[in-house]
C-alpha cells in the first residue's frame, strides 16, 4: 500500500536496500485506518457483483454468455501483468538481500512448509473418506474426451521445472520455470555485491511499477469477476450439484473445514490469536477472487496486499506468494487423494498396509505440484496418477470431471494457503513478534532469525 511504508531493520532478514521498498502492491488503505463498514467497502462491492452475476447466470443461463468477454478481458489484462510482476518482484527481493545465506534459508523453509501442509491436507482427506465412505455407483463419463499424451514421470518433472528456450520462460504457461529463473537472476545480482546495486535498484523500481499497474487494474475487479462468474454459473447451473453429488458433498465440507480450522491453526502458529483474527479479516477479498476466477494467479496481487496488511515484509511475500501459486497446492492434494481413493474403489485397486497410503500421499503431493495456476490445469495431475497407480485409461474422463467440479475449492485453499505460509515463514525467520509495529506504524521490528 502506498501509505504504509514498513521497514525491516538491518538486524532482520533483509538488508536496508530491500527494506526501503514501498508497499505499492495495492491501492487500498489499511482497514485499520478506516471506520465502520469502510474497511470492507471493496470486498463487499466485489461480493455484491459476484452475487448479482451468479443470480443472472442461474436465472438466464446461456443468455448471459455475452458477459463472458467482459470477464475474459479483465482476466487477460491481469494475466498479461503477471509474468513481469512475478519476475521483478522475486528477482528484486532476492537481489536486495546482502546475505545470500538468508535466501537459502527462505527457500528451505518455503519448501518445508509447502510440502508439510500439502501432506497434512492429504492425510485429512484420507481420514474424511475413512469415516464417510465412497459412492462406488458412479457411471464413468461416456462422452469423448480429448486424448492426452502420456509421458513418463521423469519427462514430466523436466518439463515442470525447465523449458528449452528463453521465450518460453516469459509465458504464463510456464510459471514454475519463470520462478526458478527469477530466483536465479536475483541470486546472481546479489552475489555481485556493489557492482550489482544498479541492477538491484532497477529491478526494485520496475517491481513498483507493476505493483501500481495491478493495483489500478484491480479497481475493475468487481465488474470483471462478476461478469466472469455470471457466465460460469450460466454454463454449469445446478448440474454441478446433480453430477457426482456424493463427491461434492464430501469434498466441499472438507474444504470449509480446512479453510477455517487448518488455515486458522497455521495463522495461530504464526502470530497467535492476533494472527487468526487478522488473517480472516484480510483474506476475504483474495479468497473471493480465487473462488470466482478459479485461478491462483489471478489472486496473487490481492494476496500480496493481504500480506502487506498483516505486516509480512514484501521481501518474503513477493517470493512466497508467486511461488505458492504454482507449488503450494493443499486444495489439489485434497482433490487428488479423493480421486485416487474413488478410482481405486471403482477399479478394484485395494490398499494394503501403511506403505500404500504413504505412497498415495507422496503421489498426491508430487502430482499436485503439476497443477497449473490457471483454471482447468489438472490434466498433468491425472496422467501422473494413471501412470503411478496403473489405472486404466477409462478412469481419465471421470478424473477430469472430478477435477473440474473440485477446481473452485482447490483454488481457494491453494491461494489462501500462500498467505498463511508467508506468515509462518515470517514467524520462523523474524521471530515471534514479527507482526508488532510501533504506534505510528513506522517500522516493523524484526528479530534475528
Amino acid at each position: 500500500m502506498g501509505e504504509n511504508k514498513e521497514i525491516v531493520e538491518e538486524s532482520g532478514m533483509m538488508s536496508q536496500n530491500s527494506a526501503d521498498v514501498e508497499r505499492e502492491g495495492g491501492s487500498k488503505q489499511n482497514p485499520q485506518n478506516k471506520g465502520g463498514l469502510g474497511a470492507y467497502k471493496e470486498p463487499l462491492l466485489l461480493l455484491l457483483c459476484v452475487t448479482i452475476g451468479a443470480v443472472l447466470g442461474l436465472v438466464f443461463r446461456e443468455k448471459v454468455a455475452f458477459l463472458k468477454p467482459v470477464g475474459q478481458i479483465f482476466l487477460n489484462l491481469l494475466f498479461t501483468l503477471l509474468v513481469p510482476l512475478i519476475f521483478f518482484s522475486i528477482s528484486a527481493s532476492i537481489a536486495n538481500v546482502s546475505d545470500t545465506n538468508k535466501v537459502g534459508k527462505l527457500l528451505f523453509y518455503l519448501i518445508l512448509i509447502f510440502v508439510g501442509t500439502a501432506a497434512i491436507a492429504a492425510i485429512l482427506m484420507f481420514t474424511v473418506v475413512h469415516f464417510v465412505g465412497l459412492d462406488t455407483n458412479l457411471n464413468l463419463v461416456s462422452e469423448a474426451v480429448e486424448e492426452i499424451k502420456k509421458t513418463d514421470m521423469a519427462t514430466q518433472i523436466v518439463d515442470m521445472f525447465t523449458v528449452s528456450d528463453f521465450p518460453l520462460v516469459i509465458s504464463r504457461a510456464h510459471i514454475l520455470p519463470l520462478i526458478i529463473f527469477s530466483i536465479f537472476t536475483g541470486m546472481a545480482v546479489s552475489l555481485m555485491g556493489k557492482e550489482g546495486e544498479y541492477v538491484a535498484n532497477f529491478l526494485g523500481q520496475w517491481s513498483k511499477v507493476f505493483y501500481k499497474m495491478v493495483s489500478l487494474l484491480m479497481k475493475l475487479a468487481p465488474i470483471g469477476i462478476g461478469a466472469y462468474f455470471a457466465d460460469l454459473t450460466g454454463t454449469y447451473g445446478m448440474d454441478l450439484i446433480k453430477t457426482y453429488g456424493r463427491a461434492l458433498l464430501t469434498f466441499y465440507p472438507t474444504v470449509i473445514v480446512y479453510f477455517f480450522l487448518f488455515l486458522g491453526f497455521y495463522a495461530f502458529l504464526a502470530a497467535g490469536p492476533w494472527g487468526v483474527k487478522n488473517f480472516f479479516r484480510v483474506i476475504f477479498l483474495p479468497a473471493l477472487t480465487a473462488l470466482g476466477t478459479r485461478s491462483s494467479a489471478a489472486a496473487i496481487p490481492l494476496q500480496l496486499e493481504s500480506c502487506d496488511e498483516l505486516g509480512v515484509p514484501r521481501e518474503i511475500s513477493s517470493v512466497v506468494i508467486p511461488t505458492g501459486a504454482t507449488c503450494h497446492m493443499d486444495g489439489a492434494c485434497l482433490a487428488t487423494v479423493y480421486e485416487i481413493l474413488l478410482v481405486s474403489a471403482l477399479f478394484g485397486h485395494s490398499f494394503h498396509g501403511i506403505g500404500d497410503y504413504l505412497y498415495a500421499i507422496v503421489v498426491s503431493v508430487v502430482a499436485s505440484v503439476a497443477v497449473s495456476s490457471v483454471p482447468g490445469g489438472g490434466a498433468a495431475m491425472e496422467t501422473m496418477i494413471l501412470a503411478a497407480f496403473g489405472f486404466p485409461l477409462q478412469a481419465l474422463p471421470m478424473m477430469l470431471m472430478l477435477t473440474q467440479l473440485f477446481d473452485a475449492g482447490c483454488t481457494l485453499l491453494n491461494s489462501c494457503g500462500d498467505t498463511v505460509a508467508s506468515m509462518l515463514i515470517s514467524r520462523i525467520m523474524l521471530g515471534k513478534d514479527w507482526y508488532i509495529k510501533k504506534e505510528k506504524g513506522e517500522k516493523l521490528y524484526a528479530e534475528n532469525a
Side-chain angles (χ1 to χ4, degrees), residues 232-251:
L232 190 67
T233 54
T235 300
Y236 292 102
M238 297 304 294
D239 290 339
L240 284 174
I241 307 300
K242 298 177 182 177
T243 306
Y244 298 106
R246 179 68 176 270
L248 292 172
L249 291 175
T250 299
F251 180 75

Side-chain angles (χ1 to χ4, degrees), residues 163-383:
V163 292
S164 59
D165 199 2
F166 177 75
L168 298 176
V169 174
I170 50 176
S171 168
R172 184 168 55 87
H174 303 100
I175 292 293
L176 191 52
L178 171 65
I179 290 172
I180 293 173
F181 178 76
S182 302
I183 293 173
F184 190 34
T185 300
M187 292 185 69
V189 174
S190 178
L191 289 170
M192 292 174 64
K194 287 189 175 181
E195 292 182 346
E197 286 183 359
Y198 175 81
V199 178
N201 292 333
F202 173 83
L203 295 172
Q205 292 301 317
W206 271 106
S207 69
K208 293 180 184 180
V209 171
F210 282 101
Y211 290 150
K212 178 59 69 176
M213 291 176 69
V214 170
S215 71
L216 294 174
L217 178 61
M218 290 310 298
K219 294 182 182 297
L220 301 175
I223 297 174
I225 296 175
Y228 191 88
F229 206 80
D231 177 72
L232 190 67
T233 54
T235 300
Y236 292 102
M238 297 304 294
D239 290 339
L240 284 174
I241 307 300
K242 298 177 182 177
T243 306
Y244 298 106
R246 179 68 176 270
L248 292 172
L249 291 175
T250 299
F251 180 75
Y252 278 95
T254 307
V255 167
I256 294 173
V257 169
Y258 192 88
F259 181 83
F260 286 103
L261 185 60
F262 284 81
L263 295 187
F265 176 66
Y266 299 148
F268 178 81
L269 291 179
W274 182 96
V276 178
K277 175 185 176 181
N278 287 276
F279 168 73
F280 287 114
R281 175 178 62 82
V282 304
I283 204 62
F284 180 79
L285 184 58
L288 193 59
T289 301
L291 192 62
T293 63
R294 298 188 302 151
S295 171
S296 297
I300 287 176
L302 292 174
Q303 295 290 0
L304 288 170
E305 190 172 340
S306 295
C307 287
D308 287 347
E309 295 187 20
L310 290 166
V312 176
R314 262 295 170 96
E315 294 82 358
I316 292 178
S317 64
S318 61
V319 175
V320 177
I321 298 297
T323 306
T326 298
C327 304
H328 191 205
M329 298 291 174
D330 294 356
C333 273
L334 288 175
T336 302
V337 168
Y338 189 89
E339 291 181 14
I340 290 173
L341 292 174
L342 180 59
V343 174
S344 296
L346 290 173
F347 292 96
H349 182 96
S350 58
F351 282 75
H352 301 287
I354 191 66
D356 286 351
Y357 288 97
L358 290 176
Y359 178 69
I361 292 174
V362 171
V363 170
S364 65
V365 172
V366 174
S368 65
V369 175
V371 181
S372 174
S373 59
V374 299
M381 179 180 71
E382 275 81 27
T383 55

Side-chain angles (χ1 to χ4, degrees), residues 43-60 64 67 221-231 233-234 284 288 291-292:
L44 288 175
L45 179 60
L46 181 60
L47 178 60
L48 175 62
C49 291
V50 168
T51 302
I52 292 173
V55 172
L56 290 175
L58 290 174
V59 173
F60 296 102
V64 299
L67 291 174
I223 297 174
I225 296 175
Y228 191 88
F229 206 80
D231 177 72
T233 54
F284 180 79
L288 193 59
L291 192 62

